[in-house]
Amino acid sequence: MTTVRFQADADLKQAIVTGTIRREPNIDFQSANTAGLEGKTDKEVLAIAALQEKILVTHDRKTMPVEFAEFIMSQTSSGVLIISQNMPISDAIEALILIWEASTAEEWINQIMSLPL
């Protein structure tokens, strides 16, 4: 069983990444800046997250679900979490910590979920 790891998409509020790491320093949550995702297509971002075996965390409800569906037809994804722009940052942080604590990376393979539930 592998621990869940996260990759922030370029559109994800940085406060979610910072707050999650501040609350739980052991979480592996890479920022979009660190991963060099700025200007990359959804397909490229999905490939980078998959290569690093990280769940992609994004706010992109418009294009990401379609791109994800196409991506998993030919490749394996570590999963995608779409967090609503309207979800309070503190709630998003709590949800990510809960996912990290209560699930394994294997459970997220080729899965997409929106938060809040």
Side-chain angles (χ1 to χ4, degrees):
M1 294 193 318
T2 313
T3 304
V4 167
R5 300 161 66 214
F6 298 112
Q7 172 61 62
D9 197 357
D11 72 349
L12 188 72
K13 293 174 185 163
Q14 183 59 37
I16 294 173
V17 179
T18 307
T20 302
I21 294 168
R22 189 174 296 134
R23 281 271 326 277
E24 187 48 73
N26 294 323
I27 288 182
D28 181 345
F29 198 165
Q30 183 167 254
S31 72
N33 192 39
T34 301
L37 300 185
E38 198 65 47
K40 300 255 190 274
T41 66
D42 287 349
K43 197 168 292 178
E44 290 170 319
V45 170
L46 285 163
I48 290 166
L51 191 64
Q52 296 183 4
E53 298 181 342
K54 294 183 180 198
I55 297 170
L56 182 65
V57 185
T58 184
H59 288 306
D60 182 1
R61 288 185 187 279
K62 286 193 175 99
T63 61
M64 193 54 78
V66 172
E67 290 291 341
F68 175 77
E70 289 177 14
F71 185 85
I72 63 171
M73 299 278 261
S74 62
Q75 299 177 62
T76 300
S77 168
S78 298
V80 173
L81 272 170
I82 301 174
I83 297 178
S84 170
Q85 289 271 14
N86 301 325
M87 187 175 192
I89 290 171
S90 60
D91 291 354
I93 292 167
E94 289 298 322
L96 289 167
I97 291 171
L98 181 61
I99 287 165
W100 178 76
E101 289 176 335
S103 65
T104 65
E106 291 79 9
E107 293 174 67
W108 288 94
I109 293 172
N110 292 341
Q111 300 296 313
I112 186 168
M113 180 188 284
S114 291
L115 295 175
L117 295 175

